[in-house]
Amino acid sequence: MAAGAAARTASVSRKTKETEIEASINLDGTGTYDVSTGIGFLDHMLEQLSKHSLIDIRLRAKGDLHIDFHHTTEDTGLALGECLTKALGDRKGIRRYGSALIPMDETLTHVALDASNRPYLVWKVNFSRPKLGDMDTELFKEWFQAFAQTGGLTLHVWNQYGENNHHIVESSFKGLARALRHAVEIDPRAMAAVPSTKGVL
């Protein structure tokens, strides 16, 4: 971030009858994370998101895990996406687009996104198992959908091939991280411009 530029940080507090979440991010961080959702595998994925995007993430979530993991998973995506939108502000100066092709052993996943403020998810990811540990694999789509919705992202995730379900999920989160890192970086050639011919995103 250029000297004298405003900090691109945001915090969100979200409380419902199902979850209580406190989240904060710094888009110009170093990939420092402090995450606790009560769901070990989700924690691991959000840590990967922070580490590989260089976005600092702090998140605390308490949810109705005695029912299942759905509400906590979805609501953490909503909260982090809302943080992203707040931190981006008018989205002036960002590169806007980002993509990453992530290999992980036998798995290859492609993630492409447009930080356009037009939420849309294309999810071409299939799993051969209904659960990873205690977590339903169908919930990963719910997290990506929630994050894209409140984050204002057109987001495409395509697992091109893979056998290990852990690798498929992790490569999806790492792909999101790397694509997001590029998309939200400030473009030194257009720091004062909104990256759209409409003049607004």
Side-chain angles (χ1 to χ4, degrees):
M1 187 169 59
R8 299 193 301 161
T9 61
S11 296
V12 165
S13 179
R14 176 184 174 85
K15 185 175 182 179
T16 71
K17 292 181 179 179
E18 299 165 343
T19 61
E20 294 183 25
I21 297 173
E22 300 286 339
S24 61
I25 66 170
N26 177 5
L27 296 183
D28 302 300
T30 59
T32 300
Y33 50 82
D34 182 8
V35 174
S36 178
T37 66
I39 305 172
F41 197 90
L42 181 59
D43 288 354
H44 181 46
M45 293 302 101
L46 297 181
E47 290 166 359
Q48 298 295 332
L49 176 62
S50 173
K51 181 69 173 180
H52 294 283
S53 66
L54 297 183
I55 296 172
D56 295 343
I57 295 176
R58 186 183 188 280
L59 185 140
R60 290 286 181 274
K62 295 180 180 179
D64 53 2
L65 302 182
H66 62 287
I67 296 176
D68 66 9
F69 293 173
H70 187 283
H71 297 141
T72 301
T73 300
E74 182 177 34
D75 288 2
T76 58
L78 291 172
L80 287 173
E82 188 177 346
C83 279
L84 177 65
T85 290
K86 289 176 68 174
L88 283 172
D90 61 8
R91 307 193 180 213
K92 185 180 294 184
I94 64 170
R95 297 184 187 275
R96 179 176 166 176
Y97 297 98
S99 67
L101 190 62
I102 302 296
M104 191 168 183
D105 294 351
E106 86 298 342
T107 296
L108 186 69
T109 300
H110 189 197
V111 178
L113 65 84
D114 176 9
S116 60
N117 220 8
R118 292 195 302 275
Y120 199 93
L121 176 68
V122 174
W123 180 257
K124 295 188 176 183
V125 181
N126 295 303
F127 300 104
S128 60
R129 293 167 52 190
K131 286 183 177 289
L132 276 173
D134 293 328
M135 188 165 183
D136 296 330
T137 48
E138 69 179 9
L139 293 181
F140 296 110
K141 180 181 179 181
E142 298 301 320
W143 187 92
F144 275 80
Q145 175 65 56
F147 184 69
Q149 186 68 37
T150 54
L153 303 176
T154 297
L155 177 58
H156 293 238
V157 185
W158 177 24
N159 172 237
Q160 298 189 16
Y161 47 82
E163 298 175 5
N164 184 290
N165 289 267
H166 187 132
H167 294 165
I168 291 170
V169 175
E170 189 163 338
S171 61
S172 298
F173 274 90
K174 287 179 175 176
L176 172 61
R178 295 296 295 192
L180 194 61
R181 175 178 170 180
H182 186 79
V184 305
E185 279 182 345
I186 298 298
D187 185 344
R189 296 177 61 193
M191 294 176 64
V194 173
S196 171
T197 55
K198 294 189 292 290
V200 65
L201 286 175

PDB file of all heavy atoms in Angstrom, residues 95-101 110-115 154-156 175-184:
ATOM      1  N   ARG A  95      -7.022  -4.176  -9.163  1.00  0.00           N
ATOM      2  CA  ARG A  95      -6.856  -4.858 -10.458  1.00  0.00           C
ATOM      3  C   ARG A  95      -8.172  -5.469 -10.938  1.00  0.00           C
ATOM      4  O   ARG A  95      -8.352  -5.706 -12.124  1.00  0.00           O
ATOM      5  CB  ARG A  95      -5.780  -5.931 -10.347  1.00  0.00           C
ATOM      6  CG  ARG A  95      -4.395  -5.376 -10.022  1.00  0.00           C
ATOM      7  CD  ARG A  95      -3.353  -6.486 -10.018  1.00  0.00           C
ATOM      8  NE  ARG A  95      -2.058  -6.029  -9.552  1.00  0.00           N
ATOM      9  CZ  ARG A  95      -1.143  -5.449 -10.315  1.00  0.00           C
ATOM     10  NH1 ARG A  95      -1.393  -5.249 -11.605  1.00  0.00           N
ATOM     11  NH2 ARG A  95       0.004  -5.056  -9.810  1.00  0.00           N
ATOM     12  N   ARG A  96      -9.041  -5.804 -10.025  1.00  0.00           N
ATOM     13  CA  ARG A  96     -10.393  -6.300 -10.258  1.00  0.00           C
ATOM     14  C   ARG A  96     -10.443  -7.784 -10.607  1.00  0.00           C
ATOM     15  O   ARG A  96     -11.219  -8.527 -10.013  1.00  0.00           O
ATOM     16  CB  ARG A  96     -11.103  -5.488 -11.347  1.00  0.00           C
ATOM     17  CG  ARG A  96     -12.493  -5.995 -11.636  1.00  0.00           C
ATOM     18  CD  ARG A  96     -13.246  -5.150 -12.637  1.00  0.00           C
ATOM     19  NE  ARG A  96     -14.426  -5.838 -13.135  1.00  0.00           N
ATOM     20  CZ  ARG A  96     -15.299  -5.296 -13.963  1.00  0.00           C
ATOM     21  NH1 ARG A  96     -15.136  -4.045 -14.402  1.00  0.00           N
ATOM     22  NH2 ARG A  96     -16.355  -6.004 -14.373  1.00  0.00           N
ATOM     23  N   TYR A  97      -9.652  -8.236 -11.545  1.00  0.00           N
ATOM     24  CA  TYR A  97      -9.690  -9.641 -11.967  1.00  0.00           C
ATOM     25  C   TYR A  97      -8.524 -10.424 -11.361  1.00  0.00           C
ATOM     26  O   TYR A  97      -7.434  -9.875 -11.152  1.00  0.00           O
ATOM     27  CB  TYR A  97      -9.608  -9.753 -13.495  1.00  0.00           C
ATOM     28  CG  TYR A  97     -10.768  -9.124 -14.215  1.00  0.00           C
ATOM     29  CD1 TYR A  97     -10.663  -7.837 -14.739  1.00  0.00           C
ATOM     30  CD2 TYR A  97     -11.978  -9.797 -14.366  1.00  0.00           C
ATOM     31  CE1 TYR A  97     -11.723  -7.245 -15.395  1.00  0.00           C
ATOM     32  CE2 TYR A  97     -13.045  -9.212 -15.023  1.00  0.00           C
ATOM     33  CZ  TYR A  97     -12.912  -7.941 -15.538  1.00  0.00           C
ATOM     34  OH  TYR A  97     -13.973  -7.353 -16.190  1.00  0.00           O
ATOM     35  N   GLY A  98      -8.770 -11.698 -11.125  1.00  0.00           N
ATOM     36  CA  GLY A  98      -7.700 -12.569 -10.665  1.00  0.00           C
ATOM     37  C   GLY A  98      -8.030 -14.010 -10.996  1.00  0.00           C
ATOM     38  O   GLY A  98      -9.202 -14.394 -11.076  1.00  0.00           O
ATOM     39  N   SER A  99      -7.001 -14.798 -11.224  1.00  0.00           N
ATOM     40  CA  SER A  99      -7.214 -16.226 -11.466  1.00  0.00           C
ATOM     41  C   SER A  99      -5.997 -16.996 -10.996  1.00  0.00           C
ATOM     42  O   SER A  99      -4.895 -16.446 -10.884  1.00  0.00           O
ATOM     43  CB  SER A  99      -7.493 -16.510 -12.949  1.00  0.00           C
ATOM     44  OG  SER A  99      -6.346 -16.240 -13.735  1.00  0.00           O
ATOM     45  N   ALA A 100      -6.215 -18.259 -10.704  1.00  0.00           N
ATOM     46  CA  ALA A 100      -5.118 -19.125 -10.253  1.00  0.00           C
ATOM     47  C   ALA A 100      -5.416 -20.556 -10.648  1.00  0.00           C
ATOM     48  O   ALA A 100      -6.563 -21.012 -10.576  1.00  0.00           O
ATOM     49  CB  ALA A 100      -4.944 -19.018  -8.741  1.00  0.00           C
ATOM     50  N   LEU A 101      -4.379 -21.245 -11.055  1.00  0.00           N
ATOM     51  CA  LEU A 101      -4.451 -22.663 -11.374  1.00  0.00           C
ATOM     52  C   LEU A 101      -3.588 -23.381 -10.352  1.00  0.00           C
ATOM     53  O   LEU A 101      -2.369 -23.197 -10.325  1.00  0.00           O
ATOM     54  CB  LEU A 101      -3.941 -22.908 -12.799  1.00  0.00           C
ATOM     55  CG  LEU A 101      -4.160 -24.288 -13.400  1.00  0.00           C
ATOM     56  CD1 LEU A 101      -5.650 -24.601 -13.518  1.00  0.00           C
ATOM     57  CD2 LEU A 101      -3.498 -24.378 -14.769  1.00  0.00           C
ATOM     58  N   HIS A 110      -8.922 -24.780 -10.891  1.00  0.00           N
ATOM     59  CA  HIS A 110      -8.828 -23.438 -11.472  1.00  0.00           C
ATOM     60  C   HIS A 110      -9.866 -22.540 -10.801  1.00  0.00           C
ATOM     61  O   HIS A 110     -11.045 -22.892 -10.728  1.00  0.00           O
ATOM     62  CB  HIS A 110      -9.094 -23.508 -12.976  1.00  0.00           C
ATOM     63  CG  HIS A 110      -8.801 -22.230 -13.686  1.00  0.00           C
ATOM     64  ND1 HIS A 110      -9.272 -21.957 -14.954  1.00  0.00           N
ATOM     65  CD2 HIS A 110      -8.097 -21.132 -13.332  1.00  0.00           C
ATOM     66  CE1 HIS A 110      -8.868 -20.760 -15.330  1.00  0.00           C
ATOM     67  NE2 HIS A 110      -8.165 -20.239 -14.363  1.00  0.00           N
ATOM     68  N   VAL A 111      -9.424 -21.397 -10.316  1.00  0.00           N
ATOM     69  CA  VAL A 111     -10.316 -20.409  -9.721  1.00  0.00           C
ATOM     70  C   VAL A 111     -10.119 -19.088 -10.459  1.00  0.00           C
ATOM     71  O   VAL A 111      -8.982 -18.630 -10.635  1.00  0.00           O
ATOM     72  CB  VAL A 111     -10.036 -20.209  -8.222  1.00  0.00           C
ATOM     73  CG1 VAL A 111     -10.951 -19.133  -7.642  1.00  0.00           C
ATOM     74  CG2 VAL A 111     -10.218 -21.523  -7.461  1.00  0.00           C
ATOM     75  N   ALA A 112     -11.210 -18.495 -10.900  1.00  0.00           N
ATOM     76  CA  ALA A 112     -11.171 -17.182 -11.556  1.00  0.00           C
ATOM     77  C   ALA A 112     -12.239 -16.306 -10.927  1.00  0.00           C
ATOM     78  O   ALA A 112     -13.335 -16.781 -10.603  1.00  0.00           O
ATOM     79  CB  ALA A 112     -11.413 -17.322 -13.054  1.00  0.00           C
ATOM     80  N   LEU A 113     -11.913 -15.025 -10.746  1.00  0.00           N
ATOM     81  CA  LEU A 113     -12.904 -14.144 -10.128  1.00  0.00           C
ATOM     82  C   LEU A 113     -12.806 -12.733 -10.691  1.00  0.00           C
ATOM     83  O   LEU A 113     -11.780 -12.301 -11.209  1.00  0.00           O
ATOM     84  CB  LEU A 113     -12.759 -14.128  -8.605  1.00  0.00           C
ATOM     85  CG  LEU A 113     -11.505 -13.554  -7.964  1.00  0.00           C
ATOM     86  CD1 LEU A 113     -11.585 -12.028  -7.800  1.00  0.00           C
ATOM     87  CD2 LEU A 113     -11.271 -14.187  -6.600  1.00  0.00           C
ATOM     88  N   ASP A 114     -13.923 -12.045 -10.542  1.00  0.00           N
ATOM     89  CA  ASP A 114     -14.069 -10.644 -10.918  1.00  0.00           C
ATOM     90  C   ASP A 114     -14.665  -9.928  -9.712  1.00  0.00           C
ATOM     91  O   ASP A 114     -15.791 -10.232  -9.301  1.00  0.00           O
ATOM     92  CB  ASP A 114     -14.994 -10.539 -12.131  1.00  0.00           C
ATOM     93  CG  ASP A 114     -15.305  -9.106 -12.551  1.00  0.00           C
ATOM     94  OD1 ASP A 114     -14.678  -8.173 -12.014  1.00  0.00           O
ATOM     95  OD2 ASP A 114     -16.187  -8.935 -13.419  1.00  0.00           O
ATOM     96  N   ALA A 115     -13.917  -9.013  -9.115  1.00  0.00           N
ATOM     97  CA  ALA A 115     -14.406  -8.250  -7.956  1.00  0.00           C
ATOM     98  C   ALA A 115     -15.286  -7.110  -8.448  1.00  0.00           C
ATOM     99  O   ALA A 115     -15.018  -5.927  -8.233  1.00  0.00           O
ATOM    100  CB  ALA A 115     -13.234  -7.737  -7.135  1.00  0.00           C
ATOM    101  N   THR A 154     -17.921 -12.173  -8.723  1.00  0.00           N
ATOM    102  CA  THR A 154     -18.250 -13.205  -9.702  1.00  0.00           C
ATOM    103  C   THR A 154     -17.134 -14.233  -9.581  1.00  0.00           C
ATOM    104  O   THR A 154     -15.967 -13.936  -9.848  1.00  0.00           O
ATOM    105  CB  THR A 154     -18.299 -12.633 -11.123  1.00  0.00           C
ATOM    106  OG1 THR A 154     -19.340 -11.654 -11.198  1.00  0.00           O
ATOM    107  CG2 THR A 154     -18.557 -13.727 -12.140  1.00  0.00           C
ATOM    108  N   LEU A 155     -17.485 -15.429  -9.162  1.00  0.00           N
ATOM    109  CA  LEU A 155     -16.493 -16.420  -8.748  1.00  0.00           C
ATOM    110  C   LEU A 155     -16.747 -17.753  -9.437  1.00  0.00           C
ATOM    111  O   LEU A 155     -17.848 -18.306  -9.338  1.00  0.00           O
ATOM    112  CB  LEU A 155     -16.555 -16.571  -7.225  1.00  0.00           C
ATOM    113  CG  LEU A 155     -15.654 -17.603  -6.554  1.00  0.00           C
ATOM    114  CD1 LEU A 155     -14.189 -17.346  -6.850  1.00  0.00           C
ATOM    115  CD2 LEU A 155     -15.915 -17.608  -5.044  1.00  0.00           C
ATOM    116  N   HIS A 156     -15.737 -18.241 -10.143  1.00  0.00           N
ATOM    117  CA  HIS A 156     -15.811 -19.536 -10.816  1.00  0.00           C
ATOM    118  C   HIS A 156     -14.767 -20.465 -10.210  1.00  0.00           C
ATOM    119  O   HIS A 156     -13.583 -20.115 -10.154  1.00  0.00           O
ATOM    120  CB  HIS A 156     -15.537 -19.375 -12.309  1.00  0.00           C
ATOM    121  CG  HIS A 156     -16.599 -18.613 -13.050  1.00  0.00           C
ATOM    122  ND1 HIS A 156     -17.289 -19.149 -14.114  1.00  0.00           N
ATOM    123  CD2 HIS A 156     -17.090 -17.353 -12.874  1.00  0.00           C
ATOM    124  CE1 HIS A 156     -18.154 -18.253 -14.572  1.00  0.00           C
ATOM    125  NE2 HIS A 156     -18.058 -17.156 -13.826  1.00  0.00           N
ATOM    126  N   GLY A 175      -6.739 -21.618  -4.390  1.00  0.00           N
ATOM    127  CA  GLY A 175      -6.991 -20.924  -5.649  1.00  0.00           C
ATOM    128  C   GLY A 175      -7.744 -19.624  -5.427  1.00  0.00           C
ATOM    129  O   GLY A 175      -7.424 -18.593  -6.025  1.00  0.00           O
ATOM    130  N   LEU A 176      -8.743 -19.655  -4.550  1.00  0.00           N
ATOM    131  CA  LEU A 176      -9.446 -18.430  -4.198  1.00  0.00           C
ATOM    132  C   LEU A 176      -8.484 -17.412  -3.612  1.00  0.00           C
ATOM    133  O   LEU A 176      -8.515 -16.226  -3.959  1.00  0.00           O
ATOM    134  CB  LEU A 176     -10.557 -18.739  -3.195  1.00  0.00           C
ATOM    135  CG  LEU A 176     -11.257 -17.529  -2.579  1.00  0.00           C
ATOM    136  CD1 LEU A 176     -11.948 -16.682  -3.645  1.00  0.00           C
ATOM    137  CD2 LEU A 176     -12.253 -17.976  -1.514  1.00  0.00           C
ATOM    138  N   ALA A 177      -7.611 -17.867  -2.734  1.00  0.00           N
ATOM    139  CA  ALA A 177      -6.659 -16.962  -2.085  1.00  0.00           C
ATOM    140  C   ALA A 177      -5.766 -16.268  -3.100  1.00  0.00           C
ATOM    141  O   ALA A 177      -5.599 -15.040  -3.071  1.00  0.00           O
ATOM    142  CB  ALA A 177      -5.813 -17.740  -1.078  1.00  0.00           C
ATOM    143  N   ARG A 178      -5.199 -17.026  -4.003  1.00  0.00           N
ATOM    144  CA  ARG A 178      -4.266 -16.437  -4.972  1.00  0.00           C
ATOM    145  C   ARG A 178      -4.983 -15.533  -5.971  1.00  0.00           C
ATOM    146  O   ARG A 178      -4.459 -14.475  -6.346  1.00  0.00           O
ATOM    147  CB  ARG A 178      -3.514 -17.547  -5.706  1.00  0.00           C
ATOM    148  CG  ARG A 178      -2.600 -18.382  -4.818  1.00  0.00           C
ATOM    149  CD  ARG A 178      -1.468 -17.576  -4.213  1.00  0.00           C
ATOM    150  NE  ARG A 178      -0.560 -17.076  -5.213  1.00  0.00           N
ATOM    151  CZ  ARG A 178       0.634 -16.533  -4.952  1.00  0.00           C
ATOM    152  NH1 ARG A 178       1.048 -16.425  -3.701  1.00  0.00           N
ATOM    153  NH2 ARG A 178       1.410 -16.089  -5.918  1.00  0.00           N
ATOM    154  N   ALA A 179      -6.171 -15.927  -6.387  1.00  0.00           N
ATOM    155  CA  ALA A 179      -6.936 -15.079  -7.309  1.00  0.00           C
ATOM    156  C   ALA A 179      -7.367 -13.792  -6.617  1.00  0.00           C
ATOM    157  O   ALA A 179      -7.297 -12.700  -7.196  1.00  0.00           O
ATOM    158  CB  ALA A 179      -8.157 -15.841  -7.821  1.00  0.00           C
ATOM    159  N   LEU A 180      -7.788 -13.907  -5.372  1.00  0.00           N
ATOM    160  CA  LEU A 180      -8.219 -12.737  -4.612  1.00  0.00           C
ATOM    161  C   LEU A 180      -7.054 -11.786  -4.362  1.00  0.00           C
ATOM    162  O   LEU A 180      -7.207 -10.565  -4.459  1.00  0.00           O
ATOM    163  CB  LEU A 180      -8.829 -13.201  -3.288  1.00  0.00           C
ATOM    164  CG  LEU A 180      -9.635 -12.194  -2.483  1.00  0.00           C
ATOM    165  CD1 LEU A 180     -10.835 -11.697  -3.281  1.00  0.00           C
ATOM    166  CD2 LEU A 180     -10.086 -12.828  -1.175  1.00  0.00           C
ATOM    167  N   ARG A 181      -5.913 -12.360  -4.042  1.00  0.00           N
ATOM    168  CA  ARG A 181      -4.718 -11.535  -3.812  1.00  0.00           C
ATOM    169  C   ARG A 181      -4.444 -10.623  -5.002  1.00  0.00           C
ATOM    170  O   ARG A 181      -4.188  -9.425  -4.846  1.00  0.00           O
ATOM    171  CB  ARG A 181      -3.515 -12.434  -3.544  1.00  0.00           C
ATOM    172  CG  ARG A 181      -2.189 -11.684  -3.413  1.00  0.00           C
ATOM    173  CD  ARG A 181      -1.066 -12.655  -3.100  1.00  0.00           C
ATOM    174  NE  ARG A 181       0.250 -12.014  -3.209  1.00  0.00           N
ATOM    175  CZ  ARG A 181       1.409 -12.631  -2.990  1.00  0.00           C
ATOM    176  NH1 ARG A 181       1.411 -13.901  -2.636  1.00  0.00           N
ATOM    177  NH2 ARG A 181       2.548 -11.981  -3.125  1.00  0.00           N
ATOM    178  N   HIS A 182      -4.505 -11.177  -6.208  1.00  0.00           N
ATOM    179  CA  HIS A 182      -4.236 -10.374  -7.393  1.00  0.00           C
ATOM    180  C   HIS A 182      -5.350  -9.366  -7.645  1.00  0.00           C
ATOM    181  O   HIS A 182      -5.098  -8.197  -7.968  1.00  0.00           O
ATOM    182  CB  HIS A 182      -4.063 -11.276  -8.619  1.00  0.00           C
ATOM    183  CG  HIS A 182      -3.644 -10.529  -9.846  1.00  0.00           C
ATOM    184  ND1 HIS A 182      -2.345 -10.133 -10.080  1.00  0.00           N
ATOM    185  CD2 HIS A 182      -4.369 -10.072 -10.908  1.00  0.00           C
ATOM    186  CE1 HIS A 182      -2.271  -9.474 -11.229  1.00  0.00           C
ATOM    187  NE2 HIS A 182      -3.489  -9.431 -11.752  1.00  0.00           N
ATOM    188  N   ALA A 183      -6.605  -9.813  -7.484  1.00  0.00           N
ATOM    189  CA  ALA A 183      -7.740  -8.957  -7.831  1.00  0.00           C
ATOM    190  C   ALA A 183      -7.850  -7.725  -6.946  1.00  0.00           C
ATOM    191  O   ALA A 183      -8.242  -6.654  -7.407  1.00  0.00           O
ATOM    192  CB  ALA A 183      -9.038  -9.759  -7.763  1.00  0.00           C
ATOM    193  N   VAL A 184      -7.520  -7.853  -5.664  1.00  0.00           N
ATOM    194  CA  VAL A 184      -7.702  -6.718  -4.752  1.00  0.00           C
ATOM    195  C   VAL A 184      -6.450  -5.873  -4.592  1.00  0.00           C
ATOM    196  O   VAL A 184      -6.491  -4.822  -3.939  1.00  0.00           O
ATOM    197  CB  VAL A 184      -8.210  -7.175  -3.362  1.00  0.00           C
ATOM    198  CG1 VAL A 184      -9.482  -7.989  -3.503  1.00  0.00           C
ATOM    199  CG2 VAL A 184      -7.140  -7.940  -2.590  1.00  0.00           C
TER     200      VAL A 184
END
